[in-house]
Amino acid sequence: MNRCQNKDCKERPLSLSEFCWKHILDKDLYRKVLTDYIETSHSIKGFYLRRLEFPQAQWQAIDAEDSDLAGSDLSGADLAAANLRQVNFTGACLNKANLASTDLDGAHLLKCDLSETRLWSAMISNANLAESNLEKADFLKANISNTKFWH
């Protein structure tokens, strides 16, 4: 497994980088590189993006299946109609995000902040929402079959 190029760091580097989020010097440039990649491929499938800070990201209909976004800040992001199957969002901040019509089947949302998040018609089956902040989250017509809300 690759390691962050900072000599004292044991974290994995983010996808499209040689550094973990903490050690990326120009975070705005990294966000631009990631945005350009997404605009071209419409996919971050399997990407490692732990602790990424990208509030207000515009990732509609993106394929992020099997990605690791644990501890990330995607507050206010628009992820409508995205494929988020099996994504690791453990401890992530998704408050006020738009997750309408997303596929979150099997997603890990443990301790995730979903406050004021729109989840209209989302497929949230087989997901883990234990210890998540669901205050004012809107689940209108969402499919929550076999979803775990507690331990």
Side-chain angles (χ1 to χ4, degrees), residues 16 32-44 47:
L16 307 177
K32 182 180 181 340
V33 167
L34 183 59
T35 298
D36 290 347
Y37 182 88
I38 290 168
E39 286 175 358
T40 303
S41 69
H42 304 289
S43 176
I44 55 170
F47 270 35

Side-chain angles (χ1 to χ4, degrees), residues 41-146:
S41 69
H42 304 289
S43 176
I44 55 170
K45 188 173 185 174
F47 270 35
Y48 184 84
L49 298 169
R50 280 195 175 209
R51 296 184 244 335
L52 173 71
E53 294 174 9
F54 207 143
Q56 309 299 319
Q58 298 298 305
W59 294 354
Q60 302 90 341
I62 192 172
D63 182 2
E65 186 171 352
D66 292 318
S67 292
D68 189 341
L69 286 148
S72 294
D73 179 2
L74 295 171
S75 55
D78 190 348
L79 297 155
N83 176 9
L84 304 174
R85 295 172 64 88
Q86 300 291 326
V87 171
N88 181 8
F89 280 121
T90 301
C93 181
L94 289 161
N95 73 305
K96 297 184 180 179
N98 181 11
L99 299 176
S101 300
T102 56
D103 186 349
L104 286 155
D105 184 61
H108 304 281
L109 296 147
L110 179 73
K111 297 182 180 180
C112 190
D113 182 359
L114 292 165
S115 60
E116 300 182 59
T117 296
R118 178 181 294 166
L119 294 145
W120 296 352
S121 300
M123 175 65 70
I124 315 171
S125 57
N126 305 303
N128 184 353
L129 288 164
E131 298 182 50
S132 292
N133 180 356
L134 303 174
E135 184 178 352
K136 296 184 181 178
D138 191 345
F139 289 89
L140 180 71
K141 296 184 181 180
N143 179 343
I144 57 171
S145 63
N146 210 28

Side-chain angles (χ1 to χ4, degrees), residues 2-7 9 11-13 18-20 23:
N2 293 339
R3 295 282 179 213
C4 173
Q5 292 300 301
N6 182 289
K7 68 177 184 156
C9 187
E11 293 286 321
R12 283 180 60 188
E18 295 181 345
F19 296 94
C20 69
H23 293 115

